[in-house]
């Protein structure tokens, strides 16, 4: 565990300066210390002098600042890795055969194995909002083309006809 202390900075809604501060905060430190942008009004950043100074300077646009520490990522149990298992349709047997697992960086902690609890919750919610988890009882889905306005993602994908969430991308 690195025991990095993060600052969770909540900006006042609609604050224009928040975007500038986010830009400065993200650009001001090396990659390993980059802040994690969650959504427009909340930012998680390492508690370093440069960030503390920025927060202090922009105090008029900030709603609250709280501290938190990184915790072991629950999505990968701290390994930073994730085994992606895909299945391929076999026309001869009419069944889906599993392909060899592909080891990937965990998308929740970005391969680090640790994550801020606030970031963990936000990413878990984003995951839940994007992917179908209803089991697709009707077994029917709809095709959505590349760059369809208001679609869940810009890449072509399939959505579940039962819950409307994404079942497959690409
Ligand atoms: Zn992880
Ligand atoms: Zn579904």
């Amino acid at each position: 565990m690195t025991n990095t202390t993060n600052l969770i900075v909540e900006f006042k809604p609609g604050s224009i300066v928040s975007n500038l501060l986010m830009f400065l905060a993200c650009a001001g430190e090396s990659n390993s210390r980059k802040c994690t942008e969650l959504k427009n009004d909340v930012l998680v950043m390492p508690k370093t002098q440069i960030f503390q100074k920025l927060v202090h300077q922009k105090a008029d646009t900030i709603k609250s600042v709280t501290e938190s520490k990184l915790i072991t990522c629950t999505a990968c149990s701290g390994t930073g890795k994730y085994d992606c298992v895909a299945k391929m349709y076999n026309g001869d047997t009419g069944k889906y055969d599993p392909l060899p697992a592909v080891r990937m960086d965990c998308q929740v902690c970005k391969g680090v194995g640790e994550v801020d609890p606030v970031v963990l919750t936000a990413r878990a919610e984003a995951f839940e909002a994007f992917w179908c988890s209803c089991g697709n009882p009707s077994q029917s889905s709809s095709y959505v083309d590349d760059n369809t306005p208001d679609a869940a993602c810009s890449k072509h994908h399939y959505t579940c006809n039962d819950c409307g969430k994404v079942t497959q991308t690409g």
Side-chain angles (χ1 to χ4, degrees):
M1 294 289 270
T2 53
N3 279 329
T4 308
T5 302
N6 282 336
L7 297 179
I8 298 163
V9 184
E10 190 182 359
F11 296 95
K12 289 175 182 165
S15 142
I16 296 165
V17 187
S18 69
N19 289 335
L20 175 66
L21 179 56
M22 258 185 230
F23 172 76
L24 289 171
C26 295
E29 294 269 320
S30 67
N31 276 345
S32 62
R33 291 196 155 271
K34 261 190 180 174
C35 66
T36 307
E37 184 180 335
L38 289 174
K39 49 186 178 181
N40 274 344
D41 296 335
V42 179
L43 181 68
V44 176
M45 56 172 91
K47 188 186 174 188
T48 59
Q49 273 192 331
I50 181 170
F51 293 140
Q52 280 182 291
K53 200 173 159 200
L54 283 164
V55 167
H56 180 72
Q57 284 173 350
K58 303 294 176 190
D60 54 332
T61 69
I62 289 165
K63 203 166 145 192
S64 69
V65 180
T66 46
E67 285 189 10
S68 71
K69 285 191 187 300
L70 297 183
I71 56 166
T72 301
C73 175
T74 53
C76 64
S77 305
T79 63
K81 297 290 173 191
Y82 159 79
D83 287 321
C84 179
V85 182
K87 290 181 179 179
M88 191 147 103
Y89 184 70
N90 183 330
D92 295 334
T93 62
K95 288 180 180 167
Y96 287 88
D97 298 332
L99 296 170
V102 179
R103 193 133 251 237
M104 302 169 77
D105 274 353
C106 171
Q107 286 304 295
V108 172
C109 64
K110 307 295 179 194
V112 177
E114 302 180 306
V115 66
D116 188 281
V118 175
V119 175
L120 180 67
T121 305
R123 289 194 184 141
E125 283 171 2
F127 188 90
E128 175 67 25
F130 184 82
W131 292 106
C132 159
S133 60
C134 78
N136 190 211
S138 71
Q139 294 284 295
S140 68
S141 53
S142 302
Y143 177 75
V144 183
D145 209 352
D146 285 333
N147 301 313
T148 301
D150 301 325
C153 69
S154 58
K155 180 134 184 77
H156 62 269
H157 59 278
Y158 294 86
T159 56
C160 167
N161 283 346
D162 301 303
C163 70
K165 295 180 193 174
V166 176
T167 54
Q168 184 191 328
T169 57

